[in-house]
Amino acid sequence: MSLVLHNFFRSSASVRVRAALNLKGLVYEQVSYVLRDKQHHSEAFLTLNPQGLVPALQLADGTVLGQSLAIIEYLEETQPEPALLPSDPLNRAWIRSLAQAIACDIHPVNNLRILQYLDQALSISEDEVIEWFRHWVDQGFAPLEQQLVDDTRRGEFCYGDAPGLADICLFAQMANNRRFDVDMSRYPTLQAIYANCLQLPAFVDALPENHPHAE
Ligand SMILES: N[C@@H](CCC(=O)N[C@@H](CS)C(=O)NCC(=O)O)C(=O)O
């Protein structure tokens, strides 16, 4: 059995892992779970990943890994080239801090189950839910823009001229922002990095609309 990515076309955590697999040049099959239909709550999926969230990566021996950042770090350790993290500890920590600002601080409060809870349990209006999403993106993106704009390590990507973990997380968040019409003009540095990602097939192929099971 080759690598199998259990995921959903629109899921931004899934976009991250698809981009990492593509950048590493790894071949993988894809199984889709329609989140709207709660297919990620099915017994079949929960057996694979008791955390009940996509993505999950099934390895050749059947082992299943959850959590996109853990999956990407596993890929980095087992398939080091091309590297997604700098070689020295200080710069690795820098790139992880950028990645986690998105994956741990922006994404979790804007995840589907949170937005559904606001809407369905708290009866918050659709406009207010959109405002919620944009607010938390802005809270995270404003400091990221500041951190990156003058950083001398930045090149075409967050760190130098090759894409890495921080670009992967930024790219996935940017792709997700399109659905909520977030005003990106305030973040020219982040936008430029996103535009550079879009030049690479590894990122383009990871976009929701290019997923084989896109709706
Ligand atoms: N921290 C997890 C987040 C995974 C996650 O939240 N996935 C979303 C899709 S992007 C999901 O499965 N949502 C289902 C739900 O909210 O019910 C990761 O990085 O993999």
Side-chain angles (χ1 to χ4, degrees):
M1 191 168 63
S2 60
L3 294 172
V4 181
L5 182 63
H6 299 267
N7 73 139
F8 182 54
F9 80 103
R10 200 184 278 137
S11 144
S12 69
S14 300
V15 170
R16 288 178 207 145
V17 175
R18 296 201 296 267
L21 287 163
N22 296 344
L23 285 164
K24 297 277 186 193
L26 293 166
V27 175
Y28 55 102
E29 294 167 29
Q30 301 201 57
V31 178
S32 286
Y33 300 82
V34 179
L35 301 186
R36 188 186 53 249
D37 296 342
K38 307 223 179 298
Q39 291 178 354
H40 57 307
H41 294 171
S42 67
E43 205 180 318
F45 183 68
L46 290 174
T47 303
L48 289 172
N49 181 12
Q51 292 184 6
L53 297 169
V54 291
L57 183 68
Q58 194 163 10
L59 307 180
D61 69 356
T63 307
V64 179
L65 298 174
Q67 290 289 342
S68 62
L69 295 188
I71 295 169
I72 295 170
E73 295 258 3
Y74 169 81
L75 296 175
E76 180 73 355
E77 287 170 14
T78 54
Q79 187 84 25
E81 296 299 329
L84 300 177
L85 284 166
S87 53
D88 64 296
L90 199 58
N91 286 318
R92 286 165 90 86
W94 161 242
I95 289 306
R96 286 185 175 120
S97 82
L98 298 177
Q100 289 173 25
I102 296 168
C104 305
D105 295 339
I106 299 176
H107 176 265
V109 288
N110 281 344
N111 198 359
L112 177 67
R113 58 186 172 174
I114 306 299
L115 302 185
Q116 281 179 338
Y117 187 77
L118 292 173
D119 169 32
Q120 293 163 11
L122 302 181
S123 303
I124 287 173
S125 73
E126 195 183 331
D127 283 350
E128 285 169 321
V129 171
I130 292 170
E131 186 45 42
W132 169 285
F133 184 99
R134 291 176 181 162
H135 172 78
W136 293 113
V137 171
D138 286 332
Q139 288 291 307
F141 269 20
L144 277 185
E145 174 72 24
Q146 282 309 309
Q147 282 186 289
L148 279 164
V149 67
D150 294 325
D151 192 85
T152 53
R153 293 165 288 189
R154 180 173 55 80
E156 287 186 25
F157 296 98
C158 292
Y159 184 84
D161 291 326
L165 180 66
D167 307 291
I168 287 172
C169 292
L170 177 63
F171 177 80
Q173 184 63 49
M174 285 289 209
N176 207 16
N177 290 351
R178 299 176 304 175
R179 293 173 51 219
F180 294 84
D181 252 339
V182 179
D183 176 12
M184 284 295 113
S185 62
R186 278 173 282 179
Y187 314 115
T189 310
L190 305 185
Q191 249 190 325
I193 294 168
Y194 176 58
N196 291 335
C197 291
L198 285 172
Q199 299 302 310
L200 301 180
F203 283 103
V204 174
D205 292 347
L207 284 169
E209 57 269 35
N210 296 330
H211 191 282
H213 309 134
E215 291 166 7

